[in-house]
């Protein structure tokens, strides 16, 4: 199949007179179904996939091992200490929640914007979203220390007359993130039902047939089902859209409602949302560049898709840069000595290297995406995306840890250093994330088959439209 | 494809509108003169007049800025659906040059060092106030005027370039011009957002020279987007009826414009709420100072009015499918939101004049009619002899064909 594509594998040219094809080569319904389903139907375990899975699973074991150690020993195994009471766990939480923003943006907002190129990448981006939110949800949970009372966060009538404090943004977080998780999981699963039915219908073994059959919920592809289905999909997209904005806005209020310079500034909500989308798209590139090559999906996830993703990264990088700049300007303009200090401390204090590395990764390197060559060369975008992942993690470190380490009272200042457990937990969370993603690639339809069929070039001819 | 002369003639404004442009200009100048005459009697060194003038100046500028933002965004996104309404936005954006002329009274007042509008502009205030003294490198009359003129010139040149290319395409039908506009737009968009941010800092935020808010530029941008989309809807409805846009727009275009209006309303609410929540919650006196006069009394009612009128009601009203596709209901919400956008700016500026209550005066109406007359007169003048649809755009057929699902 991929050999067909090799003839014209570049669909990135821009001709205002016609829209570029979103698949490469003469694709039909059958070839699309085949190339996606084949990945899950291959009987022999792909070797590189298996090696990657073993490594990730090992890291996952480290993750849960360190969590066990933390719960049995106490929060003192982490580097958190006065005045830096929020450190790696919250940095990791915000980092993973941010990653989890690309999926819903692609599936909901780009859907409402009629961006048809989303069809080839939405499924994997949504999966990534859910796995990232799982990683994110773990961190505040274990950061509480007494994990066995986590259920106190739920508002339920009880004999202790305890009720969550709804004036606390931490409580808003619980609801925002859980809602987000539920809605994205629903959206992901709903979108997958027709494709699960395809897998069911193609199954050759009884076991596959019953598992995919169970998951497909009796889908038979009747016109009536499609009619109801597409309406439900549109409604869910509309419901998910405000969530894309609200979740990270609420996360930003964890910091911005405080009075701490470096945390309290009004641009935080939109700035956090832009940063989240930025990091989420970086993760999409990090995952899809290897996956499309390894699983033979280059003709569906084309260079044009990656080109567009990289443009969104460039745009969000510029928004993030705008926020950095406005924060700096207003810190000076305010004439407020503490506001001014916190920015000087970021740039020239003991953690200056994190700040400058962050600026390099988030602002300077993505500017390479102005060049089409960088937007359409897989290895270049892969390296830039990796740098953005690093940069966006550092951004949260700079905001959270560096601001806390030097607040109003110099007598209260102290440096923060992570412990080995902190570092292992961060690595371990990547293990969990990659384990889940690798399992997804092998056992579920990685590309939305039914949606890609909608954007095959023949569709336009069928509608009798001429694109002048 | 359909580049016959008949189609071109059809998309022009009727010849009678030249008279309308002249009449509007006369009405505008007369309105300004009346406002000035009324205010001369007040003897407050034009203090009230300048505040009222600033509200309208920011209002009409924001309409052009929203238009420029829209045009740039359409090129960045290579949009097809909006082609048939894009020319109106291009013309509105280029109309910003009028604001360059209308900036003269503001520049004169600041350069005179009176401090009647901007307290920091008076040398004695700045010298007596340590906080203002610290920002004098930025907040000083000369730099303020240089910056403001700079913003306006940048906007005008950007809009003029895009309009010229687009007009040239009407004749040549050259698709390469689309590529030129698409290449130009991303950088221009960045330039626009940055200049717009600082313009909002200078013109609106520095009315309270002690106060700051990092989201303020986004707030002005959100309001500008709402105001512009509302105006575009009104123009489209009128021009569809009058002829130039007949057969160029369908219910699908109104549906999409309605979605943009709804998105703008939600975005404005989001930004306004973010700013308010964070300042209210942290409760730091330097920051709450801006909300303090708007929090109770008559200004407080206006704040609540904005919450309902600029957010809650239109959000509900525009949510369904039919109000966006029905020209009448969509026009209603467009007019409503245009008024709300003006009230939002009034609410942003006027507490600087009187922190206790809205100081309505007859000259407000004259000032609005006056500046509106000049702005609209110049706009119609600009439209003369020009097709109101980009006839040569390669994606025009796509715009005519498209359907919402």
């Amino acid at each position: 199949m991929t050999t067909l594509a090799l003839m014209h594998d570049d669909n990135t040219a821009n001709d205002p007179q016609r829209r570029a094809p979103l698949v490469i080569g003469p694709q039909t319904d059958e070839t699309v179904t085949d190339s996606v389903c084949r990945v899950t139907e291959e009987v022999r375990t792909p070797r590189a996939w298996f090696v990657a899975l073993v490594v990730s699973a090992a890291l996952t074991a480290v993750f849960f091992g360190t969590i066990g150690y933390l719960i049995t020993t106490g929060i003192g195994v982490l580097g958190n200490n006065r005045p830096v009471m929020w450190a790696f766990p919250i940095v990791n939480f915000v980092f993973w929640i941010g990653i989890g923003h690309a999926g819903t943006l692609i599936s909901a907002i780009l859907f409402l914007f009629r961006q048809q190129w989303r069809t080839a990448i939405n499924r994997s981006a949504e999966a990534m979203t859910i796995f990232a939110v799982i990683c994110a949800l773990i961190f505040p949970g274990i950061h509480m220390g007494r994990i066995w009372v986590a259920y106190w966060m739920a508002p339920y009538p009880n004999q202790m007359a305890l009720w969550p404090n709804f004036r606390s943004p931490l409580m808003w977080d619980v609801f925002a993130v859980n809602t987000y998780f539920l809605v994205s999981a629903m959206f992901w699963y709903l979108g997958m039902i027709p494709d699960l039915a395809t897998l069911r219908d193609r199954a050759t073994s009884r076991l596959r047939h019953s598992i995919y059959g169970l998951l497909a919920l009796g889908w038979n592809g009747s016109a009536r089902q499609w009619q109801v289905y597409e309406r439900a999909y549109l409604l869910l997209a509309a419901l998910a859209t405000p969530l894309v904005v609200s979740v990270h806005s609420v996360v930003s209020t964890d910091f911005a409602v405080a009075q701490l310079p470096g945390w309290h500034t009004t641009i935080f909500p939109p700035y956090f949302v832009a940063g989240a989308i930025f990091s989420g798209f970086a993760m999409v590139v990090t995952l899809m560049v290897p996956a499309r090559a390894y699983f033979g999906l280059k003709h569906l996830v084309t260079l044009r898709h990656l080109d567009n993703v990289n443009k969104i990264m460039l745009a969000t990088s510029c928004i993030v840069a705008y926020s950095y700049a406005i924060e700096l300007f207003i810190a000076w303009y305010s004439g407020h000595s503490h506001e001014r200090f916190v920015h000087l401390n970021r740039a020239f204090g003991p953690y200056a290297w994190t700040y400058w590395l962050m600026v390099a990764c988030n602002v300077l390197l993505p500017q390479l995406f102005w060049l089409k060559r960088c937007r359409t060369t897989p290895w270049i975008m892969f390296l830039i995306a990796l740098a953005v992942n690093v940069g966006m993690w550092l951004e949260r470190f700079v905001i959270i840890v560096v601001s806390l380490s030097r607040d109003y009272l110099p007598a209260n200042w102290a440096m923060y250093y992570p412990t080995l457990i902190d570092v292992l937990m961060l690595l371990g969370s990547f293990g969990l994330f990659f384990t889940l993603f690798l399992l997804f690639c092998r056992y579920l339809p990685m590309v939305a088959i039914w949606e890609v069929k909608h954007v095959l070039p023949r569709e336009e001819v069928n509608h009798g439209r001429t694109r002048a | 494809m359909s580049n016959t002369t008949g189609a071109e003639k059809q998309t022009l404004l009727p010849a009678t509108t030249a008279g309308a442009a002249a009449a509007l200009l006369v009405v505008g100048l007369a309105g300004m003169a009346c406002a000035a005459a009324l205010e001369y009697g007040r003897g407050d060194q034009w203090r009230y007049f300048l505040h009222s003038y600033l509200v309208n100046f920011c209002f009409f500028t924001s309409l052009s800025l929203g238009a420029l933002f829209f045009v740039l965004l359409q090129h960045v996104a290579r949009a097809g659906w909006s082609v048939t309404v894009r020319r109106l936005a291009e013309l509105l954006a280029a109309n910003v040059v009028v604001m360059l002329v209308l900036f003269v009274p503001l520049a004169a007042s600041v350069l005179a060092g009176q401090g009647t509008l901007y307290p920091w502009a008076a040398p004695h205030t700045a010298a007596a106030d340590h906080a203002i003294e610290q920002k004098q490198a930025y907040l000083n009359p000369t730099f303020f005027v240089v910056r403001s003129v700079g913003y306006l010139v940048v906007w005008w040149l950007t809009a003029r370039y895009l309009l010229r290319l687009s007009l040239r395409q009407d004749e040549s039908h050259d698709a390469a011009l689309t590529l030129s506009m698409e290449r130009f737009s991303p950088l221009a968009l960045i330039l626009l957002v940055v200049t717009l941010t600082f313009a909002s800092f200078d013109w609106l935020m520095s009315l309270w020279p002690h106060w700051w808010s990092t989201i303020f530029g986004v707030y002005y941008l959100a309001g500008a987007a709402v105001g512009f989309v509302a105006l575009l809807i009104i123009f489209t409805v009128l021009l569809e009826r009058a002829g130039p846009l007949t057969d160029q727009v369908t219910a699908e275009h109104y549906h999409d414009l309605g979605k943009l209006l709804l998105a703008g309303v939600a975005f404005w609410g989001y930004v306004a709420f973010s700013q308010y929540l964070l300042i209210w919650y942290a409760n730091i006196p330097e920051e709450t100072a801006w909300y303090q006069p708007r929090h109770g009394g008559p200004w407080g009612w206006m704040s609540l009015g904005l919450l309902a009128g600029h957010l809650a009601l239109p959000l509900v009203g525009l949510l369904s499918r039919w109000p966006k596709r029905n020209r009448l209901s969509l026009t209603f919400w467009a007019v409503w939101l245009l008024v709300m956008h003006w009230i939002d700016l009034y609410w942003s500026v006027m507490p600087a004049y009187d922190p206790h209550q809205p100081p309505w005066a007859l000259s407000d109406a004259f000032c609005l009619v006056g500046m509106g007359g000049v702005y609209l007169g110049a706009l119609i003048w600009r439209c003369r002899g020009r097709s109101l649809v980009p006839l040569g755009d390669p994606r025009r057929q796509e715009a005519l064909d498209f359907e919402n699902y």
Side-chain angles (χ1 to χ4, degrees):
Chain A
M1 239 144 290
T2 40
T3 48
L4 290 174
L6 291 179
M7 300 294 289
H8 320 276
D9 64 345
D10 186 6
N11 56 344
T12 57
N14 176 26
D15 177 358
Q17 283 167 339
R18 70 187 70 249
R19 297 288 175 184
L22 292 171
V23 289
I24 286 175
Q27 301 296 335
T28 63
D29 285 358
E30 192 187 354
T31 58
V32 172
T33 308
D34 246 10
S35 38
V36 178
C37 294
R38 208 185 38 189
V39 178
T40 71
E41 288 164 350
E42 182 76 48
V43 180
R44 266 191 13 198
T45 306
R47 186 172 298 166
W49 175 86
F50 186 71
V51 172
L53 185 69
V54 168
V55 173
S56 310
L59 278 173
T60 310
V62 169
F63 190 37
F64 287 108
T66 47
I67 291 176
Y69 177 58
L70 172 101
I71 290 173
T72 52
T73 314
I75 222 65
V77 300
L78 303 177
N80 305 20
N81 211 332
R82 190 188 56 78
V84 185
M85 298 308 230
W86 279 6
F88 264 41
I90 302 300
V91 173
N92 298 341
F93 162 69
V94 181
F95 171 74
W96 281 118
I97 282 285
I99 301 286
H101 271 63
T104 320
L105 181 100
I106 291 173
S107 14
I109 294 192
L110 294 189
F111 179 68
L112 296 181
F113 281 173
R114 293 196 292 269
Q115 296 297 306
Q116 297 190 324
W117 58 274
R118 64 182 264 289
T119 51
I121 53 169
N122 66 347
R123 177 70 47 75
S124 47
E126 284 170 42
M128 180 202 83
T129 286
I130 290 160
F131 306 147
V133 176
I134 290 174
C135 291
L137 276 169
I138 291 176
F139 279 103
I142 58 177
H143 186 236
M144 293 191 310
R146 287 178 287 174
I147 187 92
W148 49 92
V149 295
Y151 67 95
W152 285 6
M153 288 187 293
Y156 69 103
N158 57 72
Q159 83 282 14
M160 298 179 289
L162 272 177
W163 198 250
N165 182 1
F166 280 102
R167 272 180 276 179
S168 161
L170 303 182
M171 216 48 237
W172 310 341
D173 247 6
V174 172
F175 289 93
V177 177
N178 281 308
T179 311
Y180 187 63
F181 178 71
L182 285 176
V183 173
S184 6
M186 235 154 50
F187 204 32
W188 181 58
Y189 180 60
L190 186 83
M192 214 154 37
I193 288 174
D195 292 351
L196 289 168
T198 306
L199 283 177
R200 173 198 64 195
D201 296 343
R202 289 167 57 102
T204 44
S205 78
R206 215 180 156 73
L207 182 68
R208 276 181 74 87
H209 190 270
S210 12
I211 292 178
Y212 288 119
L214 202 66
L215 291 172
L217 301 178
W219 178 265
N220 60 20
S222 70
R224 189 181 141 75
Q225 278 191 347
W226 275 112
Q227 205 260 341
V228 175
Y229 177 81
E230 296 211 13
R231 177 162 292 189
Y233 197 81
L234 179 63
L235 276 178
L236 258 185
L239 281 176
T241 298
L243 284 176
V244 179
V245 178
S246 70
V247 177
H248 228 62
S249 299
V250 166
V251 169
S252 82
T253 61
D254 289 348
F255 312 103
V257 300
Q259 296 182 334
L260 186 72
W263 282 20
H264 176 73
T265 183
T266 46
I267 206 169
F268 255 33
Y271 154 43
F272 265 50
V273 172
I277 292 163
F278 183 41
S279 67
F281 275 81
M283 195 54 102
V284 168
V285 169
T286 313
L287 295 175
M288 285 321 280
V289 165
R292 74 193 265 277
Y294 183 69
F295 294 115
L297 295 170
K298 283 186 183 176
H299 56 300
L300 298 181
V301 184
T302 66
L303 284 180
R304 188 175 192 84
H305 293 85
L306 296 173
D307 185 16
N308 286 344
V309 168
N310 291 331
K311 283 181 184 167
I312 294 187
M313 267 167 78
L314 177 59
T316 43
S317 163
C318 291
I319 299 178
V320 166
Y322 168 90
S323 310
Y324 294 166
I326 295 298
E327 258 202 280
L328 266 179
F329 172 75
I330 293 287
W332 173 82
Y333 177 89
S334 72
H336 194 297
S337 54
H338 292 96
E339 282 289 336
R340 288 181 180 183
F341 171 77
V342 79
H343 288 89
L344 287 176
N345 183 46
R346 278 179 187 173
F348 306 109
Y351 291 109
W353 67 273
T354 58
Y355 180 80
W356 293 110
L357 195 54
M358 169 193 93
V359 170
C361 291
N362 290 351
V363 178
L364 300 180
L365 263 180
Q367 301 306 318
L368 286 172
F369 283 143
W370 287 102
L371 307 172
K372 188 175 173 187
R373 198 181 134 72
C374 294
R375 290 197 310 268
T376 51
T377 310
W379 68 268
I380 298 181
M381 65 178 93
F382 183 73
L383 289 181
I384 297 176
L386 280 183
V388 171
N389 284 323
V390 172
M392 283 309 295
W393 188 88
L394 283 171
E395 182 192 293
R396 279 64 176 251
F397 182 87
V398 167
I399 292 172
I400 299 173
V401 173
V402 178
S403 308
L404 280 174
S405 72
R406 293 186 160 185
D407 65 1
Y408 289 105
L409 287 175
N412 201 29
W413 292 0
M415 290 292 283
Y416 163 83
Y417 300 102
T419 62
L420 182 63
I421 301 292
D422 275 312
V423 176
L424 288 179
M425 269 189 181
L426 173 59
L427 288 177
S429 65
F430 275 94
L432 176 62
F433 178 74
F434 284 118
T435 305
L436 292 169
F437 192 77
L438 287 164
L439 291 174
F440 158 76
C441 289
R442 181 86 171 98
Y443 295 107
L444 289 171
M446 206 176 10
V447 171
I449 305 171
W450 68 270
E451 291 197 86
V452 170
K453 285 178 186 169
H454 273 289
V455 301
L456 290 185
R458 64 177 164 77
E459 282 291 306
E460 287 176 28
V461 181
N462 280 354
H463 283 294
R465 303 226 189 110
T466 44
R467 306 259 176 201
Chain B
M1 263 189 292
S2 46
N3 55 346
T4 60
T5 41
E8 273 170 27
K9 277 226 180 70
Q10 204 187 15
T11 57
L12 298 180
L13 273 184
T16 49
T17 46
L24 274 169
L25 279 172
V26 170
V27 167
L29 292 175
M32 293 303 258
C34 287
L38 279 171
E39 285 306 317
Y40 183 72
R42 201 189 279 259
D44 63 349
Q45 293 179 313
W46 303 105
R47 185 158 176 264
Y48 187 83
F49 177 75
L50 285 168
H51 281 84
S52 179
Y53 190 88
L54 182 67
V55 173
N56 292 300
F57 178 81
C58 289
F59 177 72
F60 288 104
T61 308
S62 77
L63 300 178
S64 285
L65 292 181
L68 187 54
F69 186 64
F70 176 81
V71 174
L72 291 170
L73 221 50
Q74 302 315 302
H75 288 309
V76 167
R78 296 177 185 160
W81 72 273
S82 59
V83 168
T84 49
V85 293
R86 204 187 65 224
R87 175 60 50 77
L88 292 178
E90 288 165 349
L91 290 161
L92 257 173
N95 208 37
V96 79
V97 67
V98 179
M99 306 319 288
L100 196 57
V101 180
L102 290 171
F103 183 68
V104 171
L106 295 174
S109 108
V110 169
L111 286 176
Q114 290 271 349
T116 44
L117 181 60
Y118 297 106
W120 51 262
H124 57 89
T125 321
D129 188 323
H130 181 58
I132 295 178
E133 196 188 7
Q134 283 205 326
K135 359 188 155 176
Q136 283 225 292
Y138 185 80
L139 288 185
N140 63 69
T142 320
F143 194 20
F144 173 88
V145 172
V146 168
R147 276 198 312 271
S148 301
V149 171
Y151 310 142
L152 288 158
V153 167
V154 164
W155 300 333
W156 172 49
L157 292 179
T158 309
R160 199 177 71 144
Y161 176 74
L162 289 167
L163 178 63
R164 283 198 170 178
L165 251 53
S166 183
L167 284 172
R168 206 186 302 160
Q169 201 176 36
D170 282 0
E171 324 238 302
S172 69
H173 290 248
D174 182 3
L177 289 168
T178 300
L179 292 179
S180 305
M181 291 187 271
E182 285 174 4
R183 267 195 296 274
F184 170 76
S185 292
L187 280 172
L189 190 60
I190 292 175
L191 198 60
L192 168 66
V193 172
V194 171
T195 46
L196 183 150
T197 301
F198 281 93
S200 75
F201 290 169
D202 290 354
W203 297 342
L204 295 170
M205 200 167 86
S206 82
L207 286 168
W208 287 264
H210 290 176
W211 184 75
W212 67 86
S213 171
T214 42
I215 207 173
F216 201 81
V218 190
Y219 183 74
Y220 187 56
L221 175 64
V226 171
F228 157 71
V229 176
L231 190 64
L232 182 62
I233 289 170
I234 297 169
F235 282 171
T236 308
V237 170
L238 289 176
L239 290 169
E240 190 194 12
R241 190 162 295 180
L245 289 188
T246 316
D247 301 331
Q248 304 290 338
V249 290
T250 62
E252 308 298 333
H253 292 94
Y254 290 110
H255 191 177
D256 266 13
L257 288 171
K259 287 183 211 165
L260 276 186
L261 192 61
L262 177 66
V265 165
F267 184 53
W268 179 89
Y270 168 68
V271 175
F273 178 71
S274 297
Q275 177 171 282
Y276 176 74
L277 175 81
L278 297 178
I279 288 176
W280 170 80
Y281 201 118
N283 204 8
I284 300 170
E286 290 100 314
E287 287 186 348
T288 49
W290 195 79
Y291 280 108
Q292 206 266 332
R294 293 167 176 82
H295 219 267
W299 283 117
W301 287 110
M302 196 181 270
S303 309
L304 289 176
L306 278 173
L307 183 63
H310 204 313
L311 179 63
L313 296 177
L315 198 67
V316 175
L318 282 165
L319 202 55
S320 296
R321 188 181 160 92
W322 70 265
K324 297 194 280 268
R325 297 177 74 88
N326 180 306
R327 287 160 180 76
L328 196 64
S329 55
L330 189 63
T331 311
F332 167 77
W333 284 117
V335 172
W336 175 278
L337 280 164
L338 203 57
V339 173
M340 281 300 152
H341 176 48
W342 188 88
I343 293 179
D344 177 33
L345 286 168
Y346 184 88
W347 176 87
S348 298
V349 170
M350 289 315 262
Y353 178 83
D354 183 351
H356 305 295
Q357 59 196 340
W360 301 109
L362 186 60
S363 63
D364 287 333
F366 281 114
C367 199
L368 174 62
V369 169
M371 210 182 281
V374 172
Y375 185 82
L376 288 177
L379 182 68
I380 294 175
W381 193 260
R382 189 172 303 279
C383 293
R384 273 180 328 131
R386 288 167 168 175
S387 166
L388 295 187
V389 174
L391 292 169
D393 192 294
R395 297 197 181 108
R396 190 165 78 95
Q397 194 60 40
E398 193 182 327
L400 295 172
D401 278 348
F402 102 94
E403 282 170 30
N404 285 285
Y405 33 71

